[in-house]
Amino acid sequence: MTEAVEYDVVVLGGGPTGENVAERARAAGLSTALVESELVGGECSYWACMPSKALLRPAITHSDARRVPGVREVVQGPLDTPAVLAHRDEYTSHWRDDGQVAWLDSTGARLYRGHGRLHGPRKVVVTGPEGEHHVLTARHAVAVCTGTRAVLPDLPGVAGARAWTSREATSAKAAPGRLVVVGGGVVGTEMATAWQALGSQVTLLVRGKGVLPRMEPFVSDYIVEALTDAGATVRTGSSVEALRRDGGEGPVTVILEGGELIDADEVLFATGRAPRTEDIGLETVGLEPGSWLTVDDTCRVEGTDWLYGVGDVNHRALLTHQGKYQGRIAGAVIGARAQHVPLLETDRWGAHSATADHDAVPQVVFTDPEAAAVGLTLAQAEASGRRVRAVDYDLGAVSGAGLFLDGYRGRARMVVDLDREILLGVTFVGPGVGELLHSATIAVAGEVPIDRLWHAVPSYPTISEVWLRLLETYRG
């Protein structure tokens, strides 16, 4: 059966980004179709943000509780791993998308389940689960919101070793006895933290000198020390050459550069992601299959007047909250253009321009301790040619830190543009610092002058007092 239908907007991909595009397009009065090949809610809901944080929150809470007098005495035992995994399953809705579908239906958007491919300008062909075909024509826009996929390295033995990616790591039904994690980025460090706490003996292999290389270098020191104290083994300067798993069953052997062998029950590769654009018909509109989509600040693909690349596929910031932010902007832009509303696309503060992708991208890494950062690191700011200064402060010396935890350890840094006296970037590492980040994001995104920040008075005794201490240190 082939069905041909026309809509104002067709959205490819039903993750958080696609949902936000569809919702904003519908709010603008545009008829909207959303195409999803797996589960509505996407990677974040079922294999990334939600399950990973459901695994990590008990681990971090347990670690924190053991450093609070009167609490540590009753929480010395290990985590209840089956209970944590059951909690994770609840947060993924047991990998069912009924709730997300009900929300999408409430917006008035039409869901098409199946694989969608571009078939020339403004046209998408959907192959449904029973082989049926739907030919969808978009009057105004097609938005590609298909996200990314984990990439396994092309190494001998990988195919037969049943190596984990982030999906297997967040959905595993039991803690492996020995887990090798390859890669020191966000996924690698978070999953090393989670599974070590849940009973695995973790070995983290990092090719470089430390973990989380896109953050300030001191962040790595805190994370590596904490993982080591928790019982994990962290090895820097380590490269994997091959894997071996006889018959695809039993233990897996990780073969390092130089021939050293490490035996494990599972191995997780957290070594990169690629855009899910290899089979969506980009070649039918003159673009390269499998490529990242180059877009302007309205998320419209360069060289087109109808195609949008929103979220991870444009490679601006591979974060769920940034994808949702872009989705809101792209949906508003599509609605405005459809109604011939003039856009102030050069207005860097406008609702039709994704400027946060350049200036103020926030990110929290939910390790123990947490790491949180927004804007530029010191090295990035210096490379931009600006006259800058880094101001550091020991978070453990803040009044509220000792009340939060015994032996609190952490560090804060703000990077100051000395000519404009505004903040270009802020980084925190320490227990609970993820909740400090939005104040930093407002300061960076809003370009709040340092003289004005003096009048944002932090409550006593909270860890937020670090803002006062940073400003005092800057003024000397």
Side-chain angles (χ1 to χ4, degrees):
M1 179 189 77
T2 299
E3 175 192 33
V5 191
E6 190 172 65
Y7 292 90
D8 292 320
V9 182
V10 177
V11 180
L12 275 180
T17 299
E19 288 176 324
N20 273 269
V21 174
E23 191 274 334
R24 290 303 168 102
R26 285 293 303 136
L30 304 180
S31 60
T32 304
L34 184 144
V35 182
E36 174 53 50
S37 61
E38 293 184 293
L39 297 174
V40 176
E43 198 80 10
C44 176
S45 296
Y46 307 103
W47 299 285
C49 319
M50 300 309 290
S52 67
K53 304 317 169 279
L55 294 173
L56 285 158
R57 183 60 187 158
I60 293 170
T61 302
H62 188 238
S63 174
D64 288 350
R66 287 183 292 178
R67 289 178 280 174
V68 178
V71 179
R72 60 172 159 242
E73 291 78 11
V74 296
V75 293
Q76 288 304 312
L79 286 172
D80 183 338
T81 298
V84 173
L85 297 181
H87 171 68
R88 183 270 321 269
D89 293 351
E90 287 292 324
Y91 261 84
T92 60
S93 302
H94 299 274
W95 289 274
R96 294 181 58 88
D97 63 0
D98 305 56
Q100 301 264 18
V101 171
W103 173 84
L104 184 67
D105 287 344
S106 75
T107 70
R110 166 74 187 275
L111 172 63
Y112 288 86
R113 291 193 182 274
H115 180 65
R117 298 185 85 255
L118 292 165
H119 192 68
R122 293 185 172 83
K123 187 169 290 185
V124 173
V125 176
V126 182
T127 302
E130 303 299 325
E132 69 277 19
H133 290 85
H134 307 276
V135 180
L136 312 180
T137 301
R139 299 183 189 94
H140 299 294
V142 174
V144 176
C145 309
T146 48
T148 60
R149 57 179 174 80
V151 176
L152 285 172
D154 185 17
L155 294 174
V158 166
R162 294 187 292 109
W164 281 8
T165 68
S166 54
R167 284 198 169 194
E168 289 77 19
T170 57
S171 62
K173 300 303 181 185
R178 300 164 298 173
L179 174 65
V180 170
V181 179
V182 184
V186 176
V187 172
T189 52
E190 286 190 346
M191 289 298 93
T193 299
W195 288 111
Q196 180 67 37
L198 290 168
S200 298
Q201 177 56 56
V202 172
T203 300
L204 178 62
L205 303 177
V206 184
R207 180 177 293 178
K209 296 179 180 180
V211 301
L212 301 175
R214 296 184 181 180
M215 288 191 164
E216 297 283 9
F218 63 79
V219 171
S220 177
D221 298 336
Y222 283 86
I223 303 303
V224 169
E225 180 181 351
L227 280 169
T228 302
D229 288 347
T233 299
V234 181
R235 298 183 52 168
T236 59
S238 297
S239 295
V240 176
E241 283 198 338
L243 299 181
R244 184 172 64 239
R245 195 171 211 162
D246 295 336
E249 301 293 337
V252 58
T253 299
V254 180
I255 304 169
L256 301 184
E257 189 175 55
E260 184 181 352
L261 307 180
I262 300 176
D263 290 327
D265 296 290
E266 301 292 350
V267 56
L268 161 64
F269 279 95
T271 50
R273 301 189 69 82
R276 294 183 65 181
T277 60
E278 67 276 9
D279 188 26
I280 61 168
L282 290 184
E283 69 280 3
T284 71
V285 294
L287 297 172
E288 182 181 351
S291 65
W292 303 100
L293 300 180
T294 303
V295 301
D296 62 20
D297 282 345
T298 68
C299 295
R300 186 164 61 181
V301 174
E302 291 183 356
T304 77
D305 63 359
W306 60 274
L307 184 63
Y308 292 74
V310 194
D312 285 6
V313 293
N314 62 39
H315 206 232
R316 287 185 163 208
L318 275 63
L319 296 161
T320 295
H321 46 276
Q322 292 298 122
K324 293 167 72 173
Y325 161 75
Q326 291 179 16
R328 293 190 293 270
I329 287 173
V333 166
I334 292 167
R337 285 177 171 151
Q339 296 164 21
H340 305 290
V341 175
L343 303 185
L344 296 177
E345 294 171 16
T346 58
D347 178 6
R348 62 195 302 262
W349 304 117
H352 300 122
S353 188
T355 56
D357 296 337
H358 308 299
D359 304 323
V361 175
Q363 181 174 23
V364 179
V365 185
F366 293 88
T367 45
D368 179 21
E370 291 176 351
V374 61
L376 303 180
T377 63
L378 175 61
Q380 290 166 340
E382 289 175 335
S384 73
R386 283 171 275 202
R387 197 168 64 93
V388 299
R389 175 186 165 194
V391 181
D392 291 358
Y393 199 81
D394 176 6
L395 273 170
V398 176
S399 302
L403 293 168
F404 190 83
L405 296 175
D406 271 1
Y408 189 105
R409 295 187 67 251
R411 183 172 171 183
R413 167 174 287 180
M414 66 181 192
V415 178
V416 181
D417 182 322
L418 293 174
D419 294 317
R420 301 179 64 198
E421 286 217 312
I422 61 171
L423 304 188
L424 299 175
V426 182
T427 298
F428 304 107
V429 60
V433 296
E435 297 302 334
L436 293 176
L437 188 60
H438 195 57
S439 57
T441 303
I442 292 170
V444 174
E447 298 182 352
V448 181
I450 283 181
D451 283 346
R452 187 63 182 156
L453 283 176
W454 277 103
H455 301 283
V457 181
S459 297
Y460 177 87
T462 68
I463 300 174
S464 291
E465 269 205 314
V466 70
W467 281 107
L468 176 59
R469 304 307 170 207
L470 285 167
L471 295 171
E472 289 174 338
T473 303
Y474 175 68
R475 288 301 188 205

